[in-house]
Amino acid sequence: MITPEHSIGFISNACDVFLLFTIPIGGGIPAGVILAKSRGIEWKALLLLYLVSDIALACTFESLMRLIIMAGKRFHFLGRFNEAVKNAMNQTIKKYGVNPSPLSLIWISFGVDPMTGRATALAAGHGYLSGWLLAIAGDMIFFTIIMVSTLWLNNILGDGTWTAVIIMITMIGIPSFIRKIKKDRSTKESSSSDEGL
């Protein structure tokens, strides 16, 4: 039988994990997963908590984005900032074609973050609901991979602190390493094409 004390304890634990999930740079994911495991929160509840954190992000970020766009019409420096962001989003979209597919927009959110995914979806013409559905889908895929990896590594190491540190280093290191390889490859290709001329 579930007592009121158990319910209050679960809600308190869930709030602690939720707060870690709202950290915008992704470091809160492994820490939140480890905290949830230590407090007996199952993976299904973790998925739900992360989804709720994404919905909260959608409401907050969308409001801020719309406010900055409106303020950009009044204040010159914000207008320049908005133009720079729009150009950056257009450059991102160009990599995926003139009108990127929903799957491409999901992968942008997966590879970068849901805010970038939403901004790119907006630049591609998606409204509030469809734009955030695509962004959240990509972010939920990312979360699921990190959650499973964190739980697996924690079962091997048995140490939540080291697990969180290793996962965070991996989350930061692998994308940087891939970008470096791509940059080196494109530099080699451009230098070899210059030599051919």
Side-chain angles (χ1 to χ4, degrees):
M1 182 176 161
I2 297 174
T3 64
E5 290 81 17
H6 284 99
S7 297
I8 291 169
F10 177 80
I11 291 169
S12 174
N13 291 334
C15 286
D16 291 344
V17 172
F18 175 81
L19 288 174
L20 282 171
F21 286 163
T22 59
I23 296 172
I25 54 172
I29 295 174
V33 170
I34 295 297
L35 179 64
K37 184 178 183 204
S38 72
R39 295 190 178 177
I41 298 175
E42 292 187 20
W43 65 269
K44 293 173 237 172
L46 275 178
L47 285 172
L48 182 61
L49 281 171
Y50 196 77
L51 177 62
V52 172
S53 78
D54 267 353
I55 292 169
L57 171 72
C59 295
T60 305
F61 181 75
E62 188 77 20
S63 302
L64 285 172
M65 188 171 62
R66 298 286 178 181
L67 188 64
I68 290 170
I69 289 170
M70 284 177 18
K73 294 174 182 172
R74 236 172 213 223
F75 301 104
H76 184 65
F77 72 95
L78 275 177
R80 286 192 319 221
F81 172 77
N82 290 343
E83 200 57 41
V85 170
K86 187 176 178 182
N87 289 337
M89 291 304 110
N90 287 335
Q91 291 300 319
T92 302
I93 289 172
K94 277 184 189 175
K95 294 176 187 174
Y96 298 93
V98 176
N99 192 9
S101 70
L103 186 58
S104 297
L105 294 169
I106 288 171
W107 288 122
I108 290 169
S109 181
F110 171 82
V112 185
D113 60 54
M115 287 90 62
T116 303
R118 168 57 185 137
T120 307
L122 178 65
H126 286 272
Y128 178 80
L129 187 60
S130 64
W132 274 110
L133 283 174
L134 295 169
I136 289 173
D139 196 42
M140 288 301 294
I141 294 168
F142 177 79
F143 171 76
T144 303
I145 291 170
I146 298 300
M147 178 187 70
V148 169
S149 302
T150 302
L151 292 171
W152 173 78
L153 187 59
N154 190 51
N155 284 338
I156 291 172
L157 297 179
D159 184 334
T161 302
W162 276 108
T163 299
V165 168
I166 291 168
I167 294 292
M168 283 191 285
I169 289 170
T170 305
M171 287 168 58
I172 295 166
I174 289 178
S176 300
F177 181 69
I178 291 170
R179 279 194 296 272
K180 185 179 181 330
I181 289 173
K182 283 183 177 180
K183 186 179 179 183
D184 291 346
R185 187 180 298 157
S186 66
T187 303
K188 285 178 185 176
E189 287 174 2
S190 64
S191 64
S192 65
S193 66
D194 290 343
E195 287 171 9
L197 295 174

